[in-house]
Amino acid sequence: MDKFKTILWDFDGVIMDSMPVRDKGFEIVLKDYPNEQVSLLMEYHRNNGGLSRYHKFRYFFEQIRKQSITELEIQTLAEEFSKVMLENLLDSKLLIIDSLNFIVGNHHKFNMHIVSGSDQKELRYICKTLGLSEYFISIHGSPTPKKELVRQLIEVNKYSKKELILIGDSINDLEAANVNEISFTGYNNEDLKKMTSNYIDSFINCQF
């Protein structure tokens, strides 16, 4: 593992235990819709943690409700969702100490970036407020899809793919790594052990 020079971090479920808050966000924003339809979205949401809220709202209307929705309507829903997030995620108690300690102790050793399905503006505000920004060269999020964010980072920084690894907790993270032909390791989701030979149970004594 000592071959890696650059680490791309997912955020939700890897650096912050934010998924319960995001679950609640969808339930609040979609409170006027049938519970059984929202439940179907929640199942999709939990199985696709790396996808953006923009994608998930579109999925809810087009695939679950079989109803068209405009970009403006999606943006309005996303803004309502973001308001809920900023009311609940600015809490350092939600940070995952295991991964955070590794980041703090090793950010000078590696090129570190965040690539997340969370809204980019919101994510950068959370990281700045909680004092995380200083550990990362850059922080990126939706609406740009994660696989594209990874591609852009590699291209702009001229990173060697052989020296780059993505750490994530969802199948979407694994797919983003595979599409860009970089290494991947799973974390905080044991289902990923069935899909990849690389998995981190804990960052304590983890050697990169």
Side-chain angles (χ1 to χ4, degrees):
M1 299 292 280
D2 58 358
K3 67 180 180 179
F4 298 114
K5 294 183 179 179
T6 301
I7 303 177
L8 305 184
W9 295 84
D10 178 39
F11 187 77
D12 298 300
V14 174
I15 297 175
M16 175 177 274
D17 183 21
S18 52
M19 293 308 289
V21 176
R22 297 196 185 280
D23 287 357
K24 195 66 178 177
F26 282 110
E27 293 172 356
I28 291 173
V29 173
L30 299 174
K31 65 182 183 300
D32 294 330
Y33 294 92
N35 289 335
E36 60 272 19
Q37 292 181 355
V38 176
S39 294
L40 289 173
L41 175 66
M42 297 310 298
E43 181 179 356
Y44 182 78
H45 160 63
R46 289 163 185 155
N47 290 332
N48 294 275
L51 297 181
S52 73
R53 68 197 60 174
Y54 304 91
H55 173 93
K56 290 170 184 175
F57 282 128
R58 183 173 294 282
Y59 180 89
F60 176 72
F61 285 93
E62 295 184 346
Q63 302 300 320
I64 296 176
R65 289 181 55 79
K66 308 299 181 184
Q67 173 185 339
S68 62
I69 185 169
T70 67
E71 290 297 329
L72 180 59
E73 289 170 328
I74 289 177
Q75 184 62 40
T76 299
L77 289 168
E79 288 173 359
E80 291 179 28
F81 187 93
S82 186
K83 182 178 180 181
V84 176
M85 294 304 97
L86 292 177
E87 288 173 351
N88 293 276
L89 289 181
L90 297 177
D91 183 355
S92 60
K93 294 178 182 177
L94 294 174
L95 295 174
I96 300 172
I97 299 302
D98 179 49
S99 56
L100 180 61
N101 284 344
F102 179 88
I103 291 167
V104 173
N106 292 276
H107 70 283
H108 291 303
K109 182 179 177 182
F110 300 96
N111 304 310
M112 291 189 180
H113 302 264
I114 291 178
V115 287
S116 173
S118 296
D119 179 80
Q120 180 168 285
K121 182 178 179 181
E122 171 191 306
L123 181 61
R124 288 177 174 175
Y125 182 77
I126 290 171
C127 288
K128 181 178 180 181
T129 302
L130 296 182
L132 301 177
S133 301
E134 64 184 286
Y135 304 120
F136 301 96
I137 295 172
S138 63
I139 297 170
H140 305 275
S142 62
T144 304
K146 185 170 296 188
K147 61 184 179 181
E148 177 63 15
L149 292 175
V150 173
R151 187 196 67 77
Q152 291 175 3
L153 273 172
I154 294 171
E155 183 177 302
V156 170
N157 295 282
K158 296 180 170 51
Y159 286 138
S160 166
K161 292 185 178 183
K162 294 180 180 179
E163 298 175 338
L164 197 154
I165 189 167
L166 191 157
I167 301 175
D169 71 331
S170 77
I171 187 172
N172 310 111
D173 298 319
L174 174 60
E175 291 171 348
N178 288 342
V179 166
N180 286 283
E181 301 177 313
I182 64 173
S183 295
F184 171 82
T185 187
Y187 177 71
N188 204 22
N189 180 355
E190 294 204 352
D191 288 342
L192 289 173
K193 289 183 177 180
K194 306 169 187 175
M195 305 176 194
T196 176
S197 58
N198 294 331
Y199 190 85
I200 295 173
D201 288 297
S202 172
F203 283 96
I204 298 175
N205 299 321
C206 178
Q207 298 296 319
F208 273 81

